[in-house]
Amino acid sequence: VLARVRYLVSNPHVLPPHHIFYSNSECIAVWCKTGVWSTLQASIYLHSTAAGNFKSAVTAAAAVSGSTVTTTVPATGIGGWFGMTTTATVSLVSVQPWIIPALAGYGIIAVGGPYIVLRKCHEHWRRATTDLNDKFWSELDADVYVEAIKSWSGLD
């Protein structure tokens, strides 16, 4: 852990540029401790946003599917032939069918958007982890290698 901290203090230019999701102070702390560049805060935020948006999309779909409207329709029987009308209560979706693709589009965007951003974050984190670890291990002194091997093998 201390070797990674010393490395970053000595080589601040190797850090990725700051970004709220891809590269922040939590990423530095996690990398120093684990060797993996990631942020739990951004991951939780994106997951919970997608879950909340899913709940909103399902609620909207349920509300629309259960909604009814009263509309004027042709009368039944011979009266309808002569232009007479009556009122009937029908499903909102049967009167406004464009609502179905609108709800589907909202659901796809609202739920899929955060997951697309999260996937992009995972790619950035993987690349940053590889780059930092390669640079870190290539510039270490031999005594740090020895200490790491002793620590990992339990030979202390």
Side-chain angles (χ1 to χ4, degrees), residues 73-141:
V73 295
T76 59
I78 193 114
W81 290 31
F82 293 109
M84 297 177 74
T85 59
T86 187
T87 58
T89 302
V90 296
S91 166
L92 174 65
V93 177
S94 67
V95 178
Q96 302 291 336
W98 60 268
I99 292 176
I100 296 171
L103 281 173
Y106 167 71
I108 290 169
I109 292 168
V111 176
Y115 277 116
I116 290 169
V117 172
L118 182 61
R119 195 168 172 197
K120 202 171 170 187
C121 286
H122 280 286
E123 180 58 31
H124 279 275
W125 297 336
R126 187 194 58 73
R127 241 182 294 126
T129 297
T130 302
D131 291 345
L132 281 171
N133 285 335
D134 288 349
K135 291 173 186 173
F136 172 70
W137 289 106
S138 69
E139 296 181 20
L140 280 181
D141 295 331

Side-chain angles (χ1 to χ4, degrees), residues 4-16:
R4 287 192 183 105
V5 171
R6 284 188 204 108
Y7 174 74
L8 291 180
V9 169
S10 305
N11 303 294
H13 62 279
V14 300
L15 288 172

Side-chain angles (χ1 to χ4, degrees), residues 134-154:
D134 288 349
K135 291 173 186 173
F136 172 70
W137 289 106
S138 69
E139 296 181 20
L140 280 181
D141 295 331
D143 59 333
V144 177
Y145 279 114
V146 172
E147 286 300 316
I149 291 170
K150 282 182 183 177
S151 173
W152 294 336
S153 67

